[in-house]
Amino acid sequence: MMNVVLVGCGAMSTRWLDAARQIDGLAIVGLVDLDAERARARAREYGLATAVIATSVDAILDQTKPDAVFDVVVPAARREVAFSAFAHNCHLLTEKPLADSPESARAIVEAARRAGRVHAVVQNRRYVADVRRIRRFLDSGAIGKPTSIHADFFVAPHFGGFREEMAHVLLLDMAIHTFDAARYMVAGEPASVYCQEWEPANSWYRQGSSASAMFDLGGGKVFTYAGSWCADGFRTSWEGSWRIVAERGSLIWDGHDTLKAEVVVPGRDGLFDKTQPIEVPPLDPADRVDGHLGIIKDFMRAIETGTEPETRGADNIRSLAMVFGAIESAETGRRVAIAEEMQ
């Protein structure tokens, strides 16, 4: 049995608890929140009658001595929670983003290394079925090596609350999902970025609701991102809309259920090389899916077997580096090299 304390009982905690209740061998032994009544309400909602309720992370870890901590706090509090978890010899699974600054990200990853604890991030879009299929298809070489990756993200949610007052809201709150998916699907590593942010006249956000970025992902791969939190009409999927151009064909994915590819075949049709549809194979049994559920299972498996989870902090920091590089570029108006120490 793996005993876990969950820290942060806000709205996002329900996704964690929904997943946790489906896993045999996992017990939520404590809930922490600055608002103790909110933690008690979560305990009642999920039938966690024996869970300890607390407002202090250190106090509950001293009392319950869990194997792991689930961190669902706001990013600004993530470093403090991580340090407490590692000081109490706990493994740590954290909500994205890994940290709220490059300095904190590096400090958390280093603390996990020194403590010898498993540390992973809930980068749940990586566990989307079609993301897995795309990576496997491109790895097969069916259309050659990817050269150009394009993602559009146009959604207009009225969240209310802290997001509408955030700086760099799109880049800091959402774009890491798209950035990490791009990095994963084409096996790219970020080298540099140029990014521009703006605030359209129709926006209800304070700053940074719209952005366009271009990344060098190494090996001749360029990734372009265009996104907005305030684009009403013709909404894309939350996963974005994708086109990946490769040496001998292209792949498109609408972020929903439409995933198609075409490959170049011998001959010309006027000015153009001939192409024909090519199947993108279904999921392989080895593919990890199921969002939060899949990641929590992967995290537990890593602890039990002594292996590393796919979304380990030491790897996820590279996707986070794309976010901070884009923010720096937007602030300075220049192309920014992705810091090597963030990789």
Side-chain angles (χ1 to χ4, degrees), residues 92-114:
L92 178 66
L93 181 61
T94 181
E95 185 57 63
K96 65 85 188 167
L98 188 161
D100 64 340
S101 71
E103 296 75 21
S104 288
R106 288 190 289 265
I108 292 170
V109 170
E110 175 59 20
R113 187 194 65 78
R114 289 198 309 268

Side-chain angles (χ1 to χ4, degrees), residues 49-71:
T50 62
V52 177
I53 305 300
T55 58
S56 164
V57 177
D58 286 324
I60 201 169
L61 297 184
D62 285 336
Q63 181 177 350
T64 61
K65 295 180 172 52
D67 303 294
V69 170
F70 288 172
D71 168 9

Side-chain angles (χ1 to χ4, degrees), residues 148-327:
S148 306
I149 306 95
H150 307 281
D152 289 340
F153 177 85
F154 294 100
V155 182
H158 290 265
F159 291 112
F162 72 93
R163 285 184 179 87
E164 295 186 4
E165 297 301 320
M166 282 178 65
H168 310 293
V169 61
L170 179 64
L171 292 173
L172 200 56
D173 187 62
M174 187 65 196
I176 191 169
H177 286 304
T178 314
F179 294 175
D180 182 74
R183 198 181 134 242
Y184 171 74
M185 289 191 292
V186 303
E189 293 303 344
S192 64
V193 57
Y194 177 78
C195 180
Q196 182 175 350
E197 289 179 310
W198 66 99
E199 209 54 50
N202 59 296
S203 174
W204 49 93
Y205 294 87
R206 182 176 72 82
Q207 195 275 326
S209 69
S210 298
S212 179
M214 182 174 67
F215 291 90
D216 177 354
L217 291 185
K221 295 185 284 284
V222 173
F223 166 48
T224 68
Y225 169 84
S228 176
W229 267 140
C230 61
D232 285 309
F234 303 106
R235 184 167 67 241
T236 66
S237 160
W238 287 87
E239 319 308 336
S241 176
W242 295 79
R243 176 184 292 265
I244 299 176
V245 181
E247 295 168 318
R248 299 191 305 277
S250 292
L251 174 148
I252 57 172
W253 177 41
D254 67 354
H256 295 291
D257 299 320
T258 301
L259 177 56
K260 300 178 181 179
E262 291 188 346
V263 63
V264 174
V265 295
R268 286 279 180 88
D269 186 2
L271 296 174
F272 305 102
D273 289 330
K274 288 185 177 181
T275 61
Q276 68 181 26
I278 181 172
E279 180 186 5
V280 179
L283 281 171
D284 186 273
D287 288 327
R288 297 164 175 167
V289 291
D290 292 332
H292 279 69
L293 178 60
I295 289 178
I296 293 173
K297 287 181 176 179
D298 191 23
F299 175 71
M300 293 176 63
R301 187 182 306 112
I303 294 170
E304 292 163 356
T305 62
T307 57
E308 290 188 319
E310 180 175 324
T311 60
R312 60 194 177 277
D315 178 79
N316 187 256
I317 197 172
R318 300 176 182 180
S319 297
L320 188 61
M322 296 173 73
V323 172
F324 290 127
I327 289 172

Side-chain angles (χ1 to χ4, degrees), residues 128-139:
V128 169
D130 281 339
V131 170
R132 295 294 185 178
R133 292 175 65 199
I134 291 169
R135 170 62 183 261
R136 190 174 293 280
F137 176 72
L138 293 174
D139 281 351

